Amino acid sequence: GQQVMQIPQYQHVQEGEDFTTYCNSSTTLSNIQWYKQRPGGHPVFLIQLVKSGEVKKQKRLTFQFGEAKKNSSLHITATQTTDVGTYFCAADSGTYKYIFGTGTRLKVLA
Amino acid sequence: GAVVSQHPSRVICKSGTSVKIECRSLDFQATTMFWYRQFPKKSLMLMATSNEGSKATYEQGVEKDKFLINHASLTLSTLTVTSAHPEDSSFYICSARPGRNYGYTFGSGTRLTVV
């Protein structure tokens, strides 16, 4: 079945440093979504990418969808302590059923 | 924005009993809702797709007789964990969205502990 892997599994950064998480699918995707889950909380939708090579920005967050639509990345510029949490990609291969990636847990050290 | 309400947030039950978890879309109609299970520090595992007015679609390895799903209206889906055992203890979360161009909104989750 479809597998969605994320790397790294964990990342500790100093506040102000940049952070990137990568999402890789074993199959070509229709679209991909990104979510953030704070410790003890539930996932919160961040963004959806649909087009090949698409790049979207939300303030310090930059999301990219690969040309082959099999991978994606989330980059955070100048991390803040409020960025702490686990970032998940969620992949749809065309069935509108989203498979969540393994997640990247981010810790930001003040 | 779209709101999904999930109850209860926490439940402790005895082995052998059944627990019902409710998921409601408060300001939109949802013909489809999804149920996930999440173990500590792990990703969300899709359990089943709940379809309004028809049978749920279960993922491979998920026992349909153990996890009963009912989607009786466009705003309510329920997950019943039947004859619960300690290994069913987990965080259960539902999600839904107003339309295909929207991201999914998640309920706040239910932490089930079976003792």
Side-chain angles (χ1 to χ4, degrees), chain A residues 9-10 31 33 35 37 40-45 48 88 92 95-103 105, chain B residues 34 36 38 41-44 46 49 59 91 93 97 100-109 111:
Chain A
Q9 191 175 1
Y10 304 95
N31 64 82
Q33 298 179 345
Y35 292 81
Q37 185 175 24
H42 58 276
V44 174
F45 174 74
Q48 176 169 289
F88 292 101
D92 171 25
T95 63
Y96 300 109
K97 187 172 69 175
Y98 285 82
I99 304 300
F100 275 73
T102 46
R105 194 175 318 151
Chain B
F34 295 93
Y36 292 86
Q38 187 176 34
K41 299 183 180 180
K42 296 294 184 183
S43 185
L44 287 84
L46 179 64
T49 304
E59 294 301 300
F91 191 53
I93 318 178
R97 62 179 178 179
R100 291 178 180 175
N101 294 325
Y102 293 83
Y104 281 92
T105 298
F106 283 80
S108 53
R111 190 162 303 283

mmCIF file of all heavy atoms in Angstrom, chain A residues 9-10 31 33 35 37 40-45 48 88 92 95-103 105, chain B residues 34 36 38 41-44 46 49 59 91 93 97 100-109 111:
data_model
loop_
_atom_site.group_PDB
_atom_site.id
_atom_site.type_symbol
_atom_site.label_atom_id
_atom_site.label_comp_id
_atom_site.label_asym_id
_atom_site.label_seq_id
_atom_site.Cartn_x
_atom_site.Cartn_y
_atom_site.Cartn_z
ATOM 1 N N GLN A 9 12.911 12.501 11.697
ATOM 2 C CA GLN A 9 11.882 12.111 12.660
ATOM 3 C C GLN A 9 11.802 13.142 13.784
ATOM 4 O O GLN A 9 10.727 13.461 14.277
ATOM 5 C CB GLN A 9 12.219 10.730 13.226
ATOM 6 C CG GLN A 9 11.107 10.105 14.032
ATOM 7 C CD GLN A 9 11.449 8.691 14.465
ATOM 8 O OE1 GLN A 9 12.542 8.183 14.177
ATOM 9 N NE2 GLN A 9 10.545 8.045 15.172
ATOM 10 N N TYR A 10 12.975 13.633 14.173
ATOM 11 C CA TYR A 10 13.067 14.649 15.216
ATOM 12 C C TYR A 10 14.026 15.736 14.760
ATOM 13 O O TYR A 10 14.959 15.486 14.003
ATOM 14 C CB TYR A 10 13.635 14.080 16.532
ATOM 15 C CG TYR A 10 12.900 12.914 17.104
ATOM 16 C CD1 TYR A 10 13.315 11.617 16.829
ATOM 17 C CD2 TYR A 10 11.808 13.102 17.933
ATOM 18 C CE1 TYR A 10 12.647 10.525 17.359
ATOM 19 C CE2 TYR A 10 11.133 12.015 18.476
ATOM 20 C CZ TYR A 10 11.562 10.734 18.182
ATOM 21 O OH TYR A 10 10.894 9.656 18.718
ATOM 22 N N ASN A 31 -2.720 15.410 -4.502
ATOM 23 C CA ASN A 31 -2.421 16.625 -3.768
ATOM 24 C C ASN A 31 -1.853 16.241 -2.413
ATOM 25 O O ASN A 31 -1.857 15.069 -2.034
ATOM 26 C CB ASN A 31 -3.663 17.512 -3.600
ATOM 27 C CG ASN A 31 -4.731 16.833 -2.774
ATOM 28 O OD1 ASN A 31 -4.679 16.843 -1.547
ATOM 29 N ND2 ASN A 31 -5.710 16.226 -3.443
ATOM 30 N N GLN A 33 -1.340 17.726 1.779
ATOM 31 C CA GLN A 33 -1.670 18.712 2.794
ATOM 32 C C GLN A 33 -0.630 18.643 3.908
ATOM 33 O O GLN A 33 0.018 17.622 4.095
ATOM 34 C CB GLN A 33 -3.065 18.439 3.371
ATOM 35 C CG GLN A 33 -4.177 18.544 2.341
ATOM 36 C CD GLN A 33 -5.542 18.248 2.921
ATOM 37 O OE1 GLN A 33 -5.671 17.704 4.016
ATOM 38 N NE2 GLN A 33 -6.594 18.616 2.193
ATOM 39 N N TYR A 35 -0.084 19.550 8.112
ATOM 40 C CA TYR A 35 -0.741 19.797 9.393
ATOM 41 C C TYR A 35 0.300 19.996 10.481
ATOM 42 O O TYR A 35 1.413 19.463 10.405
ATOM 43 C CB TYR A 35 -1.631 18.612 9.789
ATOM 44 C CG TYR A 35 -2.832 18.425 8.904
ATOM 45 C CD1 TYR A 35 -2.730 17.786 7.673
ATOM 46 C CD2 TYR A 35 -4.073 18.915 9.283
ATOM 47 C CE1 TYR A 35 -3.836 17.628 6.853
ATOM 48 C CE2 TYR A 35 -5.190 18.764 8.478
ATOM 49 C CZ TYR A 35 -5.061 18.114 7.259
ATOM 50 O OH TYR A 35 -6.166 17.965 6.450
ATOM 51 N N GLN A 37 0.620 19.612 14.743
ATOM 52 C CA GLN A 37 -0.016 19.110 15.955
ATOM 53 C C GLN A 37 0.844 19.513 17.151
ATOM 54 O O GLN A 37 1.997 19.095 17.268
ATOM 55 C CB GLN A 37 -0.174 17.587 15.907
ATOM 56 C CG GLN A 37 -0.932 17.002 17.090
ATOM 57 C CD GLN A 37 -1.163 15.502 16.950
ATOM 58 O OE1 GLN A 37 -0.437 14.812 16.245
ATOM 59 N NE2 GLN A 37 -2.175 14.981 17.633
ATOM 60 N N GLY A 40 -0.167 17.253 22.918
ATOM 61 C CA GLY A 40 -1.451 17.124 23.597
ATOM 62 C C GLY A 40 -2.633 17.614 22.796
ATOM 63 O O GLY A 40 -3.771 17.535 23.259
ATOM 64 N N GLY A 41 -2.381 18.118 21.603
ATOM 65 C CA GLY A 41 -3.468 18.675 20.797
ATOM 66 C C GLY A 41 -3.829 17.814 19.609
ATOM 67 O O GLY A 41 -3.367 16.679 19.485
ATOM 68 N N HIS A 42 -4.660 18.359 18.739
ATOM 69 C CA HIS A 42 -5.055 17.651 17.542
ATOM 70 C C HIS A 42 -4.434 18.339 16.323
ATOM 71 O O HIS A 42 -4.033 19.501 16.405
ATOM 72 C CB HIS A 42 -6.579 17.614 17.421
ATOM 73 C CG HIS A 42 -7.214 18.964 17.398
ATOM 74 N ND1 HIS A 42 -7.514 19.673 18.539
ATOM 75 C CD2 HIS A 42 -7.574 19.757 16.358
ATOM 76 C CE1 HIS A 42 -8.052 20.821 18.208
ATOM 77 N NE2 HIS A 42 -8.102 20.910 16.897
ATOM 78 N N PRO A 43 -4.361 17.647 15.193
ATOM 79 C CA PRO A 43 -3.762 18.262 14.004
ATOM 80 C C PRO A 43 -4.562 19.471 13.527
ATOM 81 O O PRO A 43 -5.790 19.452 13.532
ATOM 82 C CB PRO A 43 -3.806 17.133 12.971
ATOM 83 C CG PRO A 43 -3.900 15.886 13.768
ATOM 84 C CD PRO A 43 -4.719 16.247 14.969
ATOM 85 N N VAL A 44 -3.834 20.484 13.101
ATOM 86 C CA VAL A 44 -4.450 21.693 12.559
ATOM 87 C C VAL A 44 -3.960 21.874 11.135
ATOM 88 O O VAL A 44 -2.750 21.835 10.877
ATOM 89 C CB VAL A 44 -4.091 22.924 13.412
ATOM 90 C CG1 VAL A 44 -4.613 24.202 12.763
ATOM 91 C CG2 VAL A 44 -4.658 22.774 14.818
ATOM 92 N N PHE A 45 -4.897 22.074 10.223
ATOM 93 C CA PHE A 45 -4.578 22.217 8.808
ATOM 94 C C PHE A 45 -3.753 23.470 8.559
ATOM 95 O O PHE A 45 -4.068 24.555 9.067
ATOM 96 C CB PHE A 45 -5.887 22.285 8.017
ATOM 97 C CG PHE A 45 -5.721 22.586 6.554
ATOM 98 C CD1 PHE A 45 -5.237 21.617 5.686
ATOM 99 C CD2 PHE A 45 -6.043 23.828 6.046
ATOM 100 C CE1 PHE A 45 -5.093 21.895 4.337
ATOM 101 C CE2 PHE A 45 -5.916 24.118 4.698
ATOM 102 C CZ PHE A 45 -5.441 23.140 3.844
ATOM 103 N N GLN A 48 -2.736 23.245 1.557
ATOM 104 C CA GLN A 48 -2.870 22.173 0.564
ATOM 105 C C GLN A 48 -2.118 22.574 -0.703
ATOM 106 O O GLN A 48 -2.228 23.711 -1.168
ATOM 107 C CB GLN A 48 -4.346 21.927 0.237
ATOM 108 C CG GLN A 48 -4.561 20.897 -0.870
ATOM 109 C CD GLN A 48 -5.997 20.472 -1.005
ATOM 110 O OE1 GLN A 48 -6.532 19.779 -0.151
ATOM 111 N NE2 GLN A 48 -6.630 20.899 -2.087
ATOM 112 N N PHE A 88 3.023 17.122 10.167
ATOM 113 C CA PHE A 88 2.652 15.964 9.353
ATOM 114 C C PHE A 88 2.292 16.409 7.942
ATOM 115 O O PHE A 88 1.594 17.402 7.761
ATOM 116 C CB PHE A 88 1.409 15.268 9.921
ATOM 117 C CG PHE A 88 1.607 14.582 11.234
ATOM 118 C CD1 PHE A 88 1.178 15.177 12.412
ATOM 119 C CD2 PHE A 88 2.204 13.328 11.294
ATOM 120 C CE1 PHE A 88 1.338 14.535 13.628
ATOM 121 C CE2 PHE A 88 2.365 12.681 12.514
ATOM 122 C CZ PHE A 88 1.931 13.294 13.680
ATOM 123 N N ASP A 92 -2.756 12.427 -0.648
ATOM 124 C CA ASP A 92 -3.924 11.879 -1.337
ATOM 125 C C ASP A 92 -3.490 11.423 -2.724
ATOM 126 O O ASP A 92 -2.993 12.210 -3.515
ATOM 127 C CB ASP A 92 -4.999 12.955 -1.457
ATOM 128 C CG ASP A 92 -6.156 12.530 -2.351
ATOM 129 O OD1 ASP A 92 -6.388 11.316 -2.484
ATOM 130 O OD2 ASP A 92 -6.815 13.419 -2.927
ATOM 131 N N THR A 95 -7.897 9.379 -4.158
ATOM 132 C CA THR A 95 -9.087 8.739 -3.587
ATOM 133 C C THR A 95 -9.771 9.619 -2.549
ATOM 134 O O THR A 95 -10.782 9.207 -1.982
ATOM 135 C CB THR A 95 -8.686 7.429 -2.890
ATOM 136 O OG1 THR A 95 -7.803 7.729 -1.795
ATOM 137 C CG2 THR A 95 -7.978 6.493 -3.865
ATOM 138 N N TYR A 96 -9.222 10.834 -2.302
ATOM 139 C CA TYR A 96 -9.719 11.724 -1.246
ATOM 140 C C TYR A 96 -9.596 11.088 0.132
ATOM 141 O O TYR A 96 -10.235 11.522 1.084
ATOM 142 C CB TYR A 96 -11.169 12.151 -1.501
ATOM 143 C CG TYR A 96 -11.313 12.891 -2.793
ATOM 144 C CD1 TYR A 96 -11.943 12.314 -3.875
ATOM 145 C CD2 TYR A 96 -10.773 14.169 -2.945
ATOM 146 C CE1 TYR A 96 -12.053 12.993 -5.079
ATOM 147 C CE2 TYR A 96 -10.870 14.844 -4.147
ATOM 148 C CZ TYR A 96 -11.520 14.244 -5.210
ATOM 149 O OH TYR A 96 -11.621 14.912 -6.391
ATOM 150 N N LYS A 97 -8.755 10.078 0.216
ATOM 151 C CA LYS A 97 -8.459 9.444 1.493
ATOM 152 C C LYS A 97 -7.003 9.776 1.802
ATOM 153 O O LYS A 97 -6.098 9.390 1.069
ATOM 154 C CB LYS A 97 -8.654 7.941 1.369
ATOM 155 C CG LYS A 97 -8.547 7.191 2.669
ATOM 156 C CD LYS A 97 -8.941 5.733 2.460
ATOM 157 C CE LYS A 97 -7.939 4.995 1.617
ATOM 158 N NZ LYS A 97 -8.273 3.554 1.509
ATOM 159 N N TYR A 98 -6.792 10.523 2.853
ATOM 160 C CA TYR A 98 -5.456 11.024 3.138
ATOM 161 C C TYR A 98 -4.692 10.085 4.069
ATOM 162 O O TYR A 98 -5.186 9.709 5.133
ATOM 163 C CB TYR A 98 -5.536 12.424 3.743
ATOM 164 C CG TYR A 98 -5.865 13.475 2.707
ATOM 165 C CD1 TYR A 98 -7.185 13.690 2.319
ATOM 166 C CD2 TYR A 98 -4.861 14.208 2.089
ATOM 167 C CE1 TYR A 98 -7.491 14.627 1.345
ATOM 168 C CE2 TYR A 98 -5.168 15.152 1.119
ATOM 169 C CZ TYR A 98 -6.476 15.354 0.751
ATOM 170 O OH TYR A 98 -6.785 16.270 -0.212
ATOM 171 N N ILE A 99 -3.495 9.763 3.654
ATOM 172 C CA ILE A 99 -2.588 8.958 4.460
ATOM 173 C C ILE A 99 -1.569 9.901 5.078
ATOM 174 O O ILE A 99 -0.897 10.666 4.363
ATOM 175 C CB ILE A 99 -1.875 7.895 3.618
ATOM 176 C CG1 ILE A 99 -2.903 7.008 2.890
ATOM 177 C CG2 ILE A 99 -0.945 7.059 4.492
ATOM 178 C CD1 ILE A 99 -3.847 6.271 3.796
ATOM 179 N N PHE A 100 -1.447 9.846 6.385
ATOM 180 C CA PHE A 100 -0.538 10.740 7.069
ATOM 181 C C PHE A 100 0.895 10.217 7.035
ATOM 182 O O PHE A 100 1.139 9.010 7.143
ATOM 183 C CB PHE A 100 -0.983 10.945 8.518
ATOM 184 C CG PHE A 100 -2.019 12.023 8.641
ATOM 185 C CD1 PHE A 100 -3.317 11.802 8.203
ATOM 186 C CD2 PHE A 100 -1.698 13.265 9.169
ATOM 187 C CE1 PHE A 100 -4.277 12.805 8.285
ATOM 188 C CE2 PHE A 100 -2.646 14.266 9.253
ATOM 189 C CZ PHE A 100 -3.932 14.028 8.806
ATOM 190 N N GLY A 101 1.812 11.152 6.904
ATOM 191 C CA GLY A 101 3.220 10.825 6.985
ATOM 192 C C GLY A 101 3.606 10.496 8.413
ATOM 193 O O GLY A 101 2.814 10.655 9.348
ATOM 194 N N THR A 102 4.836 10.076 8.574
ATOM 195 C CA THR A 102 5.323 9.636 9.876
ATOM 196 C C THR A 102 5.553 10.801 10.838
ATOM 197 O O THR A 102 5.671 10.596 12.029
ATOM 198 C CB THR A 102 6.622 8.849 9.704
ATOM 199 O OG1 THR A 102 7.492 9.552 8.807
ATOM 200 C CG2 THR A 102 6.337 7.469 9.106
ATOM 201 N N GLY A 103 5.611 12.014 10.322
ATOM 202 C CA GLY A 103 5.723 13.191 11.179
ATOM 203 C C GLY A 103 7.149 13.572 11.514
ATOM 204 O O GLY A 103 8.043 12.714 11.577
ATOM 205 N N ARG A 105 8.990 15.799 14.533
ATOM 206 C CA ARG A 105 8.767 16.515 15.780
ATOM 207 C C ARG A 105 9.832 17.595 15.931
ATOM 208 O O ARG A 105 11.022 17.307 15.930
ATOM 209 C CB ARG A 105 8.816 15.556 16.969
ATOM 210 C CG ARG A 105 8.258 16.175 18.240
ATOM 211 C CD ARG A 105 8.195 15.190 19.386
ATOM 212 N NE ARG A 105 7.734 13.892 18.972
ATOM 213 C CZ ARG A 105 8.101 12.767 19.570
ATOM 214 N NH1 ARG A 105 8.910 12.801 20.602
ATOM 215 N NH2 ARG A 105 7.652 11.621 19.158
ATOM 216 N N PHE B 34 -13.705 10.865 8.622
ATOM 217 C CA PHE B 34 -12.643 9.877 8.768
ATOM 218 C C PHE B 34 -12.351 9.663 10.244
ATOM 219 O O PHE B 34 -12.365 10.606 11.028
ATOM 220 C CB PHE B 34 -11.371 10.341 8.046
ATOM 221 C CG PHE B 34 -11.535 10.446 6.561
ATOM 222 C CD1 PHE B 34 -11.905 11.642 5.972
ATOM 223 C CD2 PHE B 34 -11.337 9.348 5.750
ATOM 224 C CE1 PHE B 34 -12.066 11.746 4.598
ATOM 225 C CE2 PHE B 34 -11.490 9.439 4.371
ATOM 226 C CZ PHE B 34 -11.860 10.637 3.802
ATOM 227 N N TYR B 36 -9.407 8.252 12.851
ATOM 228 C CA TYR B 36 -8.004 7.911 12.980
ATOM 229 C C TYR B 36 -7.722 7.436 14.401
ATOM 230 O O TYR B 36 -8.426 7.771 15.352
ATOM 231 C CB TYR B 36 -7.119 9.139 12.702
ATOM 232 C CG TYR B 36 -7.130 9.623 11.276
ATOM 233 C CD1 TYR B 36 -8.105 10.509 10.826
ATOM 234 C CD2 TYR B 36 -6.156 9.208 10.371
ATOM 235 C CE1 TYR B 36 -8.113 10.970 9.520
ATOM 236 C CE2 TYR B 36 -6.148 9.678 9.062
ATOM 237 C CZ TYR B 36 -7.132 10.544 8.651
ATOM 238 O OH TYR B 36 -7.134 11.000 7.356
ATOM 239 N N GLN B 38 -4.283 7.250 17.032
ATOM 240 C CA GLN B 38 -2.919 7.733 17.185
ATOM 241 C C GLN B 38 -2.328 7.201 18.482
ATOM 242 O O GLN B 38 -2.874 7.435 19.564
ATOM 243 C CB GLN B 38 -2.873 9.264 17.172
ATOM 244 C CG GLN B 38 -1.462 9.840 17.154
ATOM 245 C CD GLN B 38 -1.439 11.347 17.039
ATOM 246 O OE1 GLN B 38 -2.309 12.034 17.550
ATOM 247 N NE2 GLN B 38 -0.424 11.880 16.354
ATOM 248 N N LYS B 41 3.229 9.654 20.455
ATOM 249 C CA LYS B 41 4.384 10.077 19.662
ATOM 250 C C LYS B 41 4.449 9.375 18.309
ATOM 251 O O LYS B 41 5.539 9.223 17.739
ATOM 252 C CB LYS B 41 5.676 9.868 20.445
ATOM 253 C CG LYS B 41 5.720 10.672 21.737
ATOM 254 C CD LYS B 41 7.034 10.513 22.453
ATOM 255 C CE LYS B 41 7.020 11.339 23.736
ATOM 256 N NZ LYS B 41 8.288 11.218 24.491
ATOM 257 N N LYS B 42 3.309 8.957 17.820
ATOM 258 C CA LYS B 42 3.251 8.305 16.514
ATOM 259 C C LYS B 42 2.334 9.083 15.580
ATOM 260 O O LYS B 42 1.677 10.038 15.985
ATOM 261 C CB LYS B 42 2.732 6.865 16.660
ATOM 262 C CG LYS B 42 3.632 5.961 17.477
ATOM 263 C CD LYS B 42 4.959 5.715 16.783
ATOM 264 C CE LYS B 42 5.808 4.736 17.560
ATOM 265 N NZ LYS B 42 7.153 4.550 16.922
ATOM 266 N N SER B 43 2.306 8.642 14.351
ATOM 267 C CA SER B 43 1.473 9.311 13.366
ATOM 268 C C SER B 43 0.015 8.874 13.495
ATOM 269 O O SER B 43 -0.320 7.998 14.289
ATOM 270 C CB SER B 43 1.984 9.005 11.962
ATOM 271 O OG SER B 43 1.260 9.737 10.995
ATOM 272 N N LEU B 44 -0.835 9.494 12.708
ATOM 273 C CA LEU B 44 -2.255 9.130 12.698
ATOM 274 C C LEU B 44 -2.452 7.956 11.741
ATOM 275 O O LEU B 44 -2.008 8.007 10.584
ATOM 276 C CB LEU B 44 -3.106 10.305 12.233
ATOM 277 C CG LEU B 44 -3.258 11.453 13.222
ATOM 278 C CD1 LEU B 44 -2.095 12.415 13.135
ATOM 279 C CD2 LEU B 44 -4.559 12.197 12.976
ATOM 280 N N LEU B 46 -5.166 5.855 9.715
ATOM 281 C CA LEU B 46 -6.543 5.876 9.262
ATOM 282 C C LEU B 46 -7.199 4.537 9.569
ATOM 283 O O LEU B 46 -6.680 3.483 9.177
ATOM 284 C CB LEU B 46 -6.601 6.163 7.762
ATOM 285 C CG LEU B 46 -7.993 6.199 7.137
ATOM 286 C CD1 LEU B 46 -8.827 7.340 7.725
ATOM 287 C CD2 LEU B 46 -7.883 6.363 5.622
ATOM 288 N N THR B 49 -13.375 5.064 6.879
ATOM 289 C CA THR B 49 -14.078 6.194 6.271
ATOM 290 C C THR B 49 -15.557 6.014 6.568
ATOM 291 O O THR B 49 -16.145 4.975 6.226
ATOM 292 C CB THR B 49 -13.851 6.228 4.757
ATOM 293 O OG1 THR B 49 -12.445 6.271 4.504
ATOM 294 C CG2 THR B 49 -14.520 7.431 4.133
ATOM 295 N N GLU B 59 -10.141 0.249 6.850
ATOM 296 C CA GLU B 59 -8.801 -0.001 6.342
ATOM 297 C C GLU B 59 -8.379 -1.432 6.678
ATOM 298 O O GLU B 59 -8.924 -2.063 7.603
ATOM 299 C CB GLU B 59 -7.807 0.993 6.939
ATOM 300 C CG GLU B 59 -8.063 2.418 6.505
ATOM 301 C CD GLU B 59 -7.992 2.589 5.002
ATOM 302 O OE1 GLU B 59 -6.939 2.313 4.404
ATOM 303 O OE2 GLU B 59 -9.014 3.021 4.413
ATOM 304 N N PHE B 91 -5.572 7.206 21.391
ATOM 305 C CA PHE B 91 -6.166 8.509 21.098
ATOM 306 C C PHE B 91 -6.914 8.362 19.775
ATOM 307 O O PHE B 91 -6.306 7.989 18.759
ATOM 308 C CB PHE B 91 -5.043 9.538 20.996
ATOM 309 C CG PHE B 91 -5.488 10.973 20.951
ATOM 310 C CD1 PHE B 91 -6.336 11.477 21.920
ATOM 311 C CD2 PHE B 91 -5.030 11.830 19.959
ATOM 312 C CE1 PHE B 91 -6.734 12.809 21.897
ATOM 313 C CE2 PHE B 91 -5.424 13.160 19.927
ATOM 314 C CZ PHE B 91 -6.270 13.645 20.891
ATOM 315 N N ILE B 93 -9.284 10.117 16.841
ATOM 316 C CA ILE B 93 -9.607 11.443 16.310
ATOM 317 C C ILE B 93 -10.430 11.298 15.039
ATOM 318 O O ILE B 93 -10.143 10.434 14.209
ATOM 319 C CB ILE B 93 -8.338 12.251 15.952
ATOM 320 C CG1 ILE B 93 -7.256 12.106 16.997
ATOM 321 C CG2 ILE B 93 -8.678 13.719 15.745
ATOM 322 C CD1 ILE B 93 -5.985 12.858 16.657
ATOM 323 N N ARG B 97 -14.385 17.693 6.270
ATOM 324 C CA ARG B 97 -14.139 18.988 5.632
ATOM 325 C C ARG B 97 -15.389 19.420 4.869
ATOM 326 O O ARG B 97 -16.163 18.580 4.422
ATOM 327 C CB ARG B 97 -12.935 18.925 4.704
ATOM 328 C CG ARG B 97 -13.040 17.962 3.531
ATOM 329 C CD ARG B 97 -11.775 18.025 2.694
ATOM 330 N NE ARG B 97 -11.804 17.078 1.591
ATOM 331 C CZ ARG B 97 -10.823 16.949 0.705
ATOM 332 N NH1 ARG B 97 -9.717 17.702 0.801
ATOM 333 N NH2 ARG B 97 -10.906 16.069 -0.273
ATOM 334 N N ARG B 100 -14.108 19.733 -1.188
ATOM 335 C CA ARG B 100 -12.852 19.176 -1.661
ATOM 336 C C ARG B 100 -11.718 20.182 -1.708
ATOM 337 O O ARG B 100 -10.555 19.814 -1.741
ATOM 338 C CB ARG B 100 -13.050 18.569 -3.057
ATOM 339 C CG ARG B 100 -13.910 17.339 -3.033
ATOM 340 C CD ARG B 100 -14.128 16.771 -4.424
ATOM 341 N NE ARG B 100 -14.957 15.570 -4.370
ATOM 342 C CZ ARG B 100 -15.382 14.915 -5.444
ATOM 343 N NH1 ARG B 100 -15.045 15.327 -6.636
ATOM 344 N NH2 ARG B 100 -16.120 13.846 -5.301
ATOM 345 N N ASN B 101 -12.021 21.436 -1.741
ATOM 346 C CA ASN B 101 -10.974 22.451 -1.801
ATOM 347 C C ASN B 101 -10.553 22.939 -0.414
ATOM 348 O O ASN B 101 -9.828 23.931 -0.299
ATOM 349 C CB ASN B 101 -11.434 23.639 -2.654
ATOM 350 C CG ASN B 101 -11.610 23.247 -4.113
ATOM 351 O OD1 ASN B 101 -10.861 22.416 -4.625
ATOM 352 N ND2 ASN B 101 -12.589 23.828 -4.763
ATOM 353 N N TYR B 102 -10.984 22.248 0.602
ATOM 354 C CA TYR B 102 -10.656 22.634 1.962
ATOM 355 C C TYR B 102 -9.752 21.582 2.607
ATOM 356 O O TYR B 102 -9.754 20.417 2.214
ATOM 357 C CB TYR B 102 -11.920 22.742 2.815
ATOM 358 C CG TYR B 102 -12.844 23.864 2.410
ATOM 359 C CD1 TYR B 102 -13.744 23.693 1.360
ATOM 360 C CD2 TYR B 102 -12.826 25.084 3.077
ATOM 361 C CE1 TYR B 102 -14.590 24.715 0.979
ATOM 362 C CE2 TYR B 102 -13.676 26.102 2.706
ATOM 363 C CZ TYR B 102 -14.556 25.911 1.657
ATOM 364 O OH TYR B 102 -15.396 26.918 1.286
ATOM 365 N N GLY B 103 -9.005 22.032 3.589
ATOM 366 C CA GLY B 103 -8.265 21.089 4.407
ATOM 367 C C GLY B 103 -9.212 20.424 5.391
ATOM 368 O O GLY B 103 -10.350 20.868 5.585
ATOM 369 N N TYR B 104 -8.756 19.360 6.008
ATOM 370 C CA TYR B 104 -9.589 18.660 6.972
ATOM 371 C C TYR B 104 -9.518 19.336 8.332
ATOM 372 O O TYR B 104 -8.463 19.769 8.774
ATOM 373 C CB TYR B 104 -9.154 17.195 7.099
ATOM 374 C CG TYR B 104 -9.665 16.364 5.960
ATOM 375 C CD1 TYR B 104 -8.897 16.180 4.813
ATOM 376 C CD2 TYR B 104 -10.931 15.804 6.005
ATOM 377 C CE1 TYR B 104 -9.381 15.446 3.746
ATOM 378 C CE2 TYR B 104 -11.419 15.068 4.941
ATOM 379 C CZ TYR B 104 -10.645 14.894 3.817
ATOM 380 O OH TYR B 104 -11.128 14.173 2.765
ATOM 381 N N THR B 105 -10.672 19.401 8.961
ATOM 382 C CA THR B 105 -10.742 19.898 10.329
ATOM 383 C C THR B 105 -10.867 18.694 11.237
ATOM 384 O O THR B 105 -11.687 17.805 10.991
ATOM 385 C CB THR B 105 -11.956 20.819 10.524
ATOM 386 O OG1 THR B 105 -11.822 21.946 9.665
ATOM 387 C CG2 THR B 105 -12.024 21.309 11.966
ATOM 388 N N PHE B 106 -10.044 18.664 12.261
ATOM 389 C CA PHE B 106 -10.041 17.545 13.179
ATOM 390 C C PHE B 106 -10.811 17.873 14.449
ATOM 391 O O PHE B 106 -10.819 19.023 14.911
ATOM 392 C CB PHE B 106 -8.608 17.161 13.560
ATOM 393 C CG PHE B 106 -7.904 16.388 12.483
ATOM 394 C CD1 PHE B 106 -7.347 17.045 11.391
ATOM 395 C CD2 PHE B 106 -7.812 15.006 12.551
ATOM 396 C CE1 PHE B 106 -6.706 16.338 10.388
ATOM 397 C CE2 PHE B 106 -7.170 14.288 11.553
ATOM 398 C CZ PHE B 106 -6.627 14.953 10.471
ATOM 399 N N GLY B 107 -11.452 16.841 14.993
ATOM 400 C CA GLY B 107 -12.007 16.978 16.318
ATOM 401 C C GLY B 107 -10.861 17.048 17.322
ATOM 402 O O GLY B 107 -9.700 16.829 16.977
ATOM 403 N N SER B 108 -11.193 17.350 18.553
ATOM 404 C CA SER B 108 -10.163 17.509 19.578
ATOM 405 C C SER B 108 -9.644 16.173 20.095
ATOM 406 O O SER B 108 -8.695 16.136 20.873
ATOM 407 C CB SER B 108 -10.688 18.347 20.738
ATOM 408 O OG SER B 108 -11.902 17.806 21.203
ATOM 409 N N GLY B 109 -10.256 15.075 19.635
ATOM 410 C CA GLY B 109 -9.755 13.763 19.995
ATOM 411 C C GLY B 109 -10.359 13.201 21.260
ATOM 412 O O GLY B 109 -10.872 13.932 22.120
ATOM 413 N N ARG B 111 -9.302 10.467 24.280
ATOM 414 C CA ARG B 111 -8.280 9.576 24.860
ATOM 415 C C ARG B 111 -8.992 8.470 25.614
ATOM 416 O O ARG B 111 -9.622 8.721 26.635
ATOM 417 C CB ARG B 111 -7.343 10.347 25.779
ATOM 418 C CG ARG B 111 -6.134 9.517 26.212
ATOM 419 C CD ARG B 111 -5.000 10.366 26.740
ATOM 420 N NE ARG B 111 -4.540 11.376 25.808
ATOM 421 C CZ ARG B 111 -3.760 11.132 24.759
ATOM 422 N NH1 ARG B 111 -3.368 9.905 24.487
ATOM 423 N NH2 ARG B 111 -3.379 12.122 23.963
#
